[in-house]
Amino acid sequence: MSHEMFCFQCEQTAGCSGCTGKAGVCGKTANTAKLQDELTGALIGLARAADNTTPPKEADQLILEGLFATLTNVNFDDASLRQLTQQVREVKNSLSPLCHGCTSQCAKNDGYDLDSLWTENEDIRSLKSLLLFGMRGMAAYAFHARVLGYEDPSVTSFFYKGLFAVGYDGYAMEDLLPLVMESGKVNLECMELLDRANRETYGIPAPARVSMTIEKGPFIVISGHDLHDLEQLLKQTQGTGINIYTHGEMLPAHAYPNLRKYPHLKGNFGTAWQNQQKEFDHIPAPVLFTTNCLMPVKPSYQDRVFTTSVVAYPGMVHIGDGKDFTPVIEKALELGGYDRDMAMTGINGGTSLTTGFGHEAILAAAGTVIEGVKNGDISRFFLVGGCDGARPGRNYYTEFVKQAPKDSIILTLACGKYRFNDLDLGTVAGLPRLLDMGQCNDAYGAVKVAVALAKAFDCSVNDLPLTLVLSWYEQKAVCILLSLLHLGIRNIYLGPTLPAFVSPGVLNYLVEQFDIHPVSTPEEDIRQILGQQ
């Protein structure tokens, strides 16, 4: 292509059309974007070589790592991307002789040039992008489950199938649409797998109030989604006098009993991921990034950022697979923390947060919920959740929650909740009006709740007094949306902008089939939802 880079996978892409030139809005350089495309092309080559074979476990792991590493705000380190690409190619080459002259459907076992995708017919490109970006999000969930020893062969095999399809030139729209919907089905299975892995490992989440005050003395901030990394850090810091604070999507960890049992898991530091450059400015403690949501690191704290797993950034200390967090612990003791307790607040001034309203907790109160709906105490449920970002206009979700009827209940999950999760919305029918269900992968729990309520009311999910108002930023939100569409859920309100990679033809299909609504204003959307127009 004529420009130096092309990327349109996240919501904040330049001009709502695509990042080009020398760098993307997320901060990755054109060279990093090129290397990520080369890695993706190598993964497609691996899928081609694995066609009609049984790939080794090493190939499965590389598929997950490779797709995960290309998520937005995960890996900015060119050297690690080159190394991962080389590993993929080596495993692919070891499989090639088994193909006996290549028996795959495309008659190829080489890598794929992603420029061929970016210049494809716009509807084909759109569907392949939905498939590819959805798999990138799903790979993160599968990766976390695999770390805990949980795998599903049908989920793993779909990555090969989907990658093969992205690189195959013989598919028309009618071939790709079923694959895109299938990816939503498989992602639901993947989220169920991770839901089970987390609960069987760390216990059933229970509601918890989490302080935002940082106590004096040495501490470590841990960000991301990987509960296993948090557990290892908690074990290694026992008896050191170091306190641990969650950040961003790690907040729901406070709900799990096997993590909450550690007394030095104290609270939550700061707000959403996109505020880190301001909130980490001169922070007197190290920050450990376990998954995505890493922003370009500022000089005022670059000596205290550590990465692990698939996350990488040039010049930062990376903790390898052995998970020896000694460098992080030593940095915490060196920096010493604050010399007094620091009372931090949320975006709206609140000093504490609640989390842990998983599907078990909500369904345990199903009798109260059903009675509240039947007698008119509860008018409606709004699931207001998804990924957060820095683009102006995301205050829509705060205003929506503030203006929602006072007899409605707000369910929320993922990091979008930081826009409003420190608000005191009171109670309705004896229940808190704001129920934080957890991380983005806990969308599976929201589905379980919706299905259970539909059964209780003897209706379909679409007939419930339930509206989904979703924000999206990166690819995990894409795969969750595809899962909701697979379930046939309609009338989803999506914003703050629609994906640049969805062509007008594909958008028309989604609107016609599923009544997807681009968000407008909170006032107008609430009136439309409540039938007041």
Side-chain angles (χ1 to χ4, degrees):
M1 303 183 71
S2 59
H3 43 68
E4 295 178 73
M5 73 175 288
F6 177 74
C7 182
F8 61 176
Q9 70 178 20
C10 86
E11 190 270 333
Q12 293 185 162
T13 188
C16 293
S17 60
C19 291
T20 61
K22 295 182 179 180
V25 173
C26 69
K28 70 180 176 184
T29 65
N31 194 58
T32 301
K34 177 177 178 291
L35 291 171
Q36 290 184 352
D37 280 358
E38 288 181 3
L39 173 56
T40 303
L43 293 171
I44 292 172
L46 177 56
R48 288 170 168 176
D51 198 32
N52 298 316
T53 71
T54 301
K57 289 291 185 181
E58 182 183 7
D60 297 345
Q61 182 66 19
L62 285 172
I63 290 280
L64 299 185
E65 288 187 22
L67 286 169
F68 197 171
T70 57
L71 269 174
T72 304
N73 295 91
V74 171
N75 192 318
F76 295 82
D77 186 62
D78 293 355
S80 67
L81 290 169
R82 289 191 188 96
Q83 181 181 22
L84 186 52
T85 301
Q86 182 59 31
Q87 290 177 277
V88 172
R89 287 171 176 163
E90 289 173 357
V91 173
K92 187 267 291 185
N93 290 338
S94 73
L95 292 177
S96 295
L98 300 178
C99 297
H100 303 295
C102 188
T103 59
S104 72
Q105 183 182 4
C106 64
K108 299 176 182 178
N109 58 25
D110 57 346
Y112 177 74
D113 183 354
L114 245 65
D115 278 358
S116 299
L117 174 57
W118 306 143
T119 56
E120 180 67 88
N121 165 276
E122 67 171 1
D123 289 334
I124 298 298
R125 181 184 67 179
S126 180
L127 290 172
K128 285 187 175 182
S129 295
L130 271 170
L131 182 59
L132 174 60
F133 300 157
M135 285 191 296
R136 286 177 175 175
M138 182 166 61
Y141 301 143
F143 182 94
H144 294 315
R146 190 182 179 96
V147 164
L148 298 178
Y150 290 71
E151 297 178 58
D152 184 334
S154 65
V155 172
T156 302
S157 65
F158 183 80
F159 287 114
Y160 291 91
K161 180 180 181 180
L163 283 167
F164 185 97
V166 172
Y168 185 55
D169 296 330
Y171 286 144
M173 281 191 67
E174 56 266 29
D175 303 306
L176 290 168
L177 277 168
L179 276 172
V180 170
M181 290 299 106
E182 184 182 356
S183 70
K185 172 181 178 294
V186 176
N187 182 63
L188 192 63
E189 296 169 359
C190 186
M191 289 194 297
E192 188 279 332
L193 179 72
L194 181 55
D195 180 88
R196 178 158 49 89
N198 285 338
R199 280 154 170 74
E200 292 181 0
T201 304
Y202 301 115
I204 304 301
R209 182 169 290 277
V210 183
S211 173
M212 296 187 71
T213 294
I214 311 302
E215 298 179 12
K216 69 178 182 178
F219 67 96
I220 296 170
V221 175
I222 181 168
S223 188
H225 305 70
D226 200 307
L227 300 180
H228 179 262
D229 285 340
L230 171 60
E231 181 185 35
Q232 298 307 306
L233 182 64
L234 288 168
K235 287 179 177 180
Q236 293 178 40
T237 50
Q238 289 185 102
T240 64
I242 297 173
N243 291 327
I244 306 299
Y245 293 87
T246 57
H247 172 262
E249 282 279 65
M250 197 64 80
L251 169 65
H254 293 274
Y256 290 92
N258 292 347
L259 296 173
R260 193 163 52 187
K261 70 182 181 182
Y262 292 93
H264 59 301
L265 177 60
K266 289 290 186 175
N268 190 76
F269 183 97
T271 55
W273 68 271
Q274 74 274 3
N275 298 322
Q276 65 189 256
Q277 291 177 326
K278 177 181 178 181
E279 294 176 346
F280 293 163
D281 185 41
H282 293 98
I283 182 175
V287 182
L288 175 63
F289 282 90
T290 68
T291 58
N292 55 311
C293 301
L294 171 65
M295 295 182 73
V297 181
K298 297 293 186 180
S300 66
Y301 60 92
Q302 65 183 7
D303 65 327
R304 55 206 67 181
V305 168
F306 296 80
T307 62
T308 191
S309 189
V310 299
V311 190
Y313 194 87
M316 303 298 105
V317 175
H318 186 79
I319 308 298
D321 293 340
K323 301 298 180 182
D324 180 358
F325 292 119
T326 299
V328 189
I329 293 170
E330 290 176 345
K331 179 60 73 171
L333 294 173
E334 173 194 334
L335 293 171
Y338 295 112
D339 59 6
R340 56 185 175 84
D341 289 357
M342 295 290 290
M344 302 183 73
T345 65
I347 289 176
N348 301 286
T351 58
S352 66
L353 309 169
T354 57
T355 190
F357 290 93
H359 53 83
E360 299 90 350
I362 295 177
L363 292 179
T368 301
V369 171
I370 293 167
E371 182 180 356
V373 173
K374 289 183 174 178
N375 64 23
D377 292 337
I378 301 173
S379 65
R380 195 163 194 87
F381 299 89
F382 294 98
L383 174 58
V384 184
C387 305
D388 204 1
R391 182 192 292 276
R394 283 183 177 266
N395 59 323
Y396 167 95
Y397 299 93
T398 308
E399 292 305 314
F400 188 99
V401 168
K402 288 180 177 179
Q403 295 179 35
K406 302 303 181 186
D407 56 356
S408 65
I409 288 180
I410 310 294
L411 305 173
T412 190
L413 42 79
C415 61
K417 61 176 168 272
Y418 277 100
R419 292 280 170 175
F420 49 80
N421 66 340
D422 63 323
L423 290 171
D424 183 2
L425 298 182
T427 62
V428 59
L431 298 170
R433 284 194 60 223
L434 180 62
L435 302 176
D436 175 13
M437 298 193 70
Q439 292 185 348
C440 52
N441 55 279
D442 290 307
Y444 171 76
V447 170
K448 286 198 71 171
V449 169
V451 170
L453 289 177
K455 183 177 180 181
F457 286 108
D458 192 25
C459 67
S460 72
V461 171
N462 289 318
D463 292 326
L464 286 171
L466 167 68
T467 301
L468 278 61
V469 184
L470 306 180
S471 60
W472 79 283
Y473 174 76
E474 47 83 34
Q475 297 76 62
K476 282 180 285 182
V478 174
C479 65
I480 291 173
L481 177 63
L482 293 177
S483 291
L484 296 173
L485 299 184
H486 155 71
L487 291 168
I489 295 177
R490 303 172 66 87
N491 289 308
I492 296 172
Y493 285 73
L494 183 65
T497 63
L498 293 178
F501 54 81
V502 175
S503 67
V506 172
L507 177 61
N508 288 339
Y509 171 83
L510 296 177
V511 170
E512 290 173 3
Q513 295 294 316
F514 302 102
D515 290 328
I516 289 179
H517 303 273
V519 299
S520 56
T521 66
E523 297 84 359
E524 291 177 5
D525 290 344
I526 288 173
R527 283 198 297 268
Q528 184 178 43
I529 291 167
L530 299 180
Q532 296 174 348
Q533 291 182 329

